[in-house]
């Protein structure tokens, strides 16, 4: 249902988006809300704006604390990325997240019989073949995390920042309820664990006077002009709009108020050794489908690192490419890409000059029809391919 906001409310929202100062932004959001009529069509958006306001309040508080901590030299809450990808290990209290980190990474995080023993995001590295994944245990999610309960905003911000999610549920205690609770909190924070049918990303630009589209899908119930008209009504006149999959006008308006992100997710059911039957696991599989559910006994860590490494590798579509200079052996360290990466994209990843001055490439291994094959920018690469770029 469209929001049909009055013009003054749309103008106010434009003011909000132009304001960087959090205190000022918070004040303007309050004014915006007072201009929004209360009916069914605006309900979702009002909820979203209120959540953003609560988040801002927390951010203001956190900045104050961090400034204080920085003065005293304390650590920050966020974990900087390392390795081939960062995975947030999330779940309800006592689910077994720390045990998972202990079993497959070098982390010495504390495992405890009581809930809430992990209070800050805690990293560990999981080696897999010639790369490493960074697992970050996030303090527990609870009902209301997305409204800020139990440090929810900060924890959810850390999850949003990761490349993927490992969702741990205790298979021996109401696994389906816990799974649904976590999924709901993530969804409320606009972190999707199922690939969305369609999505819109709006990137505003400071310059230019037009709306440009990147098409990786199509509009289903409106035209390009409708989208431009809607964005203009929010005073968005210069922006890049990426349309992925099937997208409605409603979804475009939704994106004006905050973008949803999709994070590939693997479900780990812990404590399967404490189960009397396969029943709970099967129920969980049904509830989580099409996500993969792996049942594990985390107290028996032998072989788990290899198993989990492989699952993460496939989940993220990791594609390792090895560069080679003429007359030399290929590099030992891979460049980590995603499934479907092309020679052109790889060139851009290495250096813009490689992309701009690209003539051709030679490839060996999985993506090559024969060794030393000469290819152009459009050739897709596969895991294990050796590439030599000529400029
Ligand atoms: N039997 C069994 N017990 C497990 C398993 N995994 C974890 N546990 C136990 O479950 C309890 C909680 O484990 P943790 O790994 O600390 O759980 P957590 O999710 O990190 O919990 P908090 O951070 O405290 O919220 C501990 O007593 C673990 O020994 C498992 O696979 N089997
Ligand atoms: Mg823990």
């Amino acid at each position: 249902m469209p929001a049909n906001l009055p013009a003054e409310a749309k103008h106010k929202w434009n003011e909000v988006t132009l304001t960087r100062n959090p205190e000022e932004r918070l004040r303007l959001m309050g004014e915006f809300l007072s201009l929004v009529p209360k009916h069914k069509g605006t309900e979702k958006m009002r909820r979203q704006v209120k959540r953003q306001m609560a988040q801002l309040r927390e951010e203001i508080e956190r900045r104050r604390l961090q400034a204080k901590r920085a003065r005293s030299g304390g650590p920050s809450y966020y974990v900087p990325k390392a390795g081939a990808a960062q995975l947030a290990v999330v779940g309800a209290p006592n689910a077994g997240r720390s045990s998972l980190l202990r079993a497959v990474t070098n982390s010495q995080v504390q495992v405890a019989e009581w809930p809430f023993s992990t209070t800050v995001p805690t990293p560990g590295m999981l080696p897999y073949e010639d790369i490493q994944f960074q697992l970050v245990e996030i303090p527990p999610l609870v009902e209301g995390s997305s409204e800020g309960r139990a440090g929810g905003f900060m924890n959810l911000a850390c999850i949003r920042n990761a490349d993927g999610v490992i969702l741990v549920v205790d298979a021996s205690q109401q696994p389906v309820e816990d799974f649904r609770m976590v999924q709901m909190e993530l969804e409320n924070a606009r972190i999707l664990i199922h690939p969305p049918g369609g999505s819109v990303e709006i990137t505003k630009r400071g310059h230019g006077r037009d709306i440009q589209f990147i098409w990786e899908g199509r509009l289903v119930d409106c035209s390009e002009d409708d989208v431009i008209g809607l964005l203009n009504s929010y005073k968005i006149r210069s922006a890049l709009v990426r349309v992925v999959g099937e997208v409605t006008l409603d979804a475009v308006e939704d994106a004006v108020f905050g973008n949803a992100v999709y994070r590939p997710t693997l479900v780990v059911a812990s404590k399967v050794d404490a189960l009397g039957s396969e029943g709970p696991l099967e129920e969980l599989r049904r509830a989580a489908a099409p996500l993969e559910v792996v049942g594990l006994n985390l107290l028996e860590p032998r072989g788990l690192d290899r198993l989990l490494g492989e699952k993460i590798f496939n989940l993220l579509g990791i594609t390792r490419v090895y560069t080679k200079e003429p007359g030399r052996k290929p590099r030992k360290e891979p460049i980590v890409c995603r499934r479907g990466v092309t020679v052109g994209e790889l060139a851009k990843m290495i250096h813009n000059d490689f992309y701009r001055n690209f003539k051709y490439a030679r490839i060996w291994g999985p993506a090559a029809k024969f060794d030393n094959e000469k290819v152009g920018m459009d050739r897709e690469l596969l895991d294990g391919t050796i590439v030599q770029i000529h400029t």
Side-chain angles (χ1 to χ4, degrees):
M1 191 194 267
N4 280 332
L5 290 188
E8 38 182 342
K10 288 180 170 176
H11 290 182
K12 188 59 81 178
W13 187 258
N14 180 47
E15 269 185 69
V16 169
T17 59
L18 290 173
T19 307
R20 286 285 153 257
N21 177 293
E23 282 89 355
E24 180 67 8
R25 206 177 150 97
L26 189 60
R27 188 181 62 76
L28 289 169
M29 279 177 151
E31 290 178 13
F32 166 79
L33 271 189
S34 70
L35 295 170
V36 174
K38 291 193 175 69
H39 58 73
K40 193 94 189 115
T42 62
E43 196 180 292
K44 190 165 78 180
M45 176 234 294
R46 276 181 290 133
R47 227 184 311 127
Q48 212 167 302
V49 172
K50 278 187 196 152
R51 202 175 291 130
Q52 282 184 41
M53 289 173 76
Q55 208 162 342
L56 263 181
R57 281 190 206 100
E58 176 146 324
E59 191 183 315
I60 291 165
E61 177 63 13
R62 193 193 59 206
R63 282 195 188 181
R64 206 178 54 77
L65 281 176
Q66 258 178 356
K68 213 166 111 189
R69 234 184 263 154
R71 281 196 296 273
S72 65
S76 130
Y77 201 77
Y78 292 90
V79 176
K81 288 191 185 185
Q86 186 185 68
L87 289 117
V89 180
V90 312
N94 220 34
R97 301 180 320 283
S98 296
S99 304
L100 180 70
L101 256 79
R102 292 288 291 227
V104 303
T105 75
N106 58 351
S107 165
Q108 295 298 313
V109 65
Q110 185 194 28
V111 170
E113 277 166 44
W114 57 87
F116 294 101
S117 60
T118 306
T119 56
V120 291
T122 308
M125 300 305 290
L126 162 60
Y128 177 74
E129 295 188 346
D130 53 359
I131 56 174
Q132 297 199 18
F133 296 115
Q134 183 188 43
L135 270 48
V136 181
E137 178 179 358
I138 308 293
L141 293 179
V142 297
E143 212 174 311
S145 282
S146 58
E147 309 289 338
R149 260 189 80 199
F153 293 134
M154 270 151 84
N155 292 332
L156 286 160
C158 288
I159 300 169
R160 181 177 261 267
N161 185 52
D163 306 302
V165 169
I166 299 178
L167 200 167
V168 185
V169 280
D170 179 344
S172 69
Q173 311 266 342
Q174 38 165 17
V176 172
E177 282 85 341
D178 277 0
F179 172 80
R180 292 229 167 95
M181 181 277 286
V182 171
Q183 179 181 17
M184 182 57 80
E185 296 305 323
L186 292 173
E187 211 165 87
N188 284 344
R190 316 212 23 87
I191 302 167
L192 311 177
I193 60 175
H194 294 294
S199 69
V200 204
E201 226 176 88
I202 300 171
T203 314
K204 288 208 241 171
R205 295 181 296 195
H207 54 89
R209 284 248 136 216
D210 60 340
I211 307 279
Q212 281 182 6
F213 290 85
I214 301 176
W215 297 106
E216 289 169 28
R218 64 190 189 96
L219 299 166
V220 287
D221 63 349
C222 59
S223 68
E224 238 173 83
D225 284 343
D226 294 336
V227 171
I228 293 171
L230 179 77
L231 294 181
N232 284 346
S233 75
Y234 282 99
K235 289 239 167 111
I236 301 173
R237 304 206 189 277
S238 174
L240 216 53
V241 180
R242 181 190 293 272
V243 175
V244 184
E246 309 224 308
V247 165
T248 60
L249 194 60
D250 199 27
V252 176
E253 186 162 37
D254 214 27
V256 172
F257 291 94
N259 285 323
V261 294
Y262 161 61
R263 295 288 174 257
T265 298
L266 176 72
V267 181
V268 167
S270 67
K271 314 190 193 182
V272 288
D273 51 299
L275 287 181
S277 78
E278 281 279 302
L281 212 53
E282 269 156 28
E283 257 178 67
L284 178 62
R285 287 217 161 90
R286 269 196 296 278
L291 302 185
E292 186 181 7
V293 178
V294 208
L296 298 175
N297 172 4
L298 297 173
L299 305 186
E300 235 356 292
R302 219 171 319 133
L304 283 191
D305 49 354
R306 165 108 215 137
L307 176 84
L308 210 68
E310 193 178 324
K311 301 259 182 222
I312 295 171
F313 189 91
N314 292 330
L315 177 74
L316 300 180
I318 300 275
T319 301
R320 292 163 298 181
V321 177
Y322 301 80
T323 55
K324 172 179 153 51
E325 283 170 44
R328 298 245 184 111
K329 285 203 168 134
R331 292 250 167 101
K332 285 229 151 47
E333 261 164 35
I335 297 179
V336 176
C337 313
R338 293 291 184 269
R339 194 176 289 133
V341 67
T342 61
V343 170
E345 283 160 358
L346 176 75
K348 215 182 268 177
M349 277 174 81
I350 300 171
H351 197 281
N352 237 338
D353 286 349
F354 274 91
Y355 180 69
R356 249 179 295 153
N357 306 323
F358 181 90
K359 286 215 185 81
Y360 63 94
R362 293 198 174 275
I363 61 173
W364 291 258
K369 292 191 189 108
F370 47 87
D371 275 354
N372 207 10
E373 188 193 357
K374 192 170 165 181
V375 297
M377 287 227 209
D378 295 339
R379 176 59 70 86
E380 259 187 38
L381 297 171
L382 298 171
D383 185 48
T385 307
I386 296 166
V387 181
Q388 190 172 86
I389 293 174
H390 293 259
T391 55

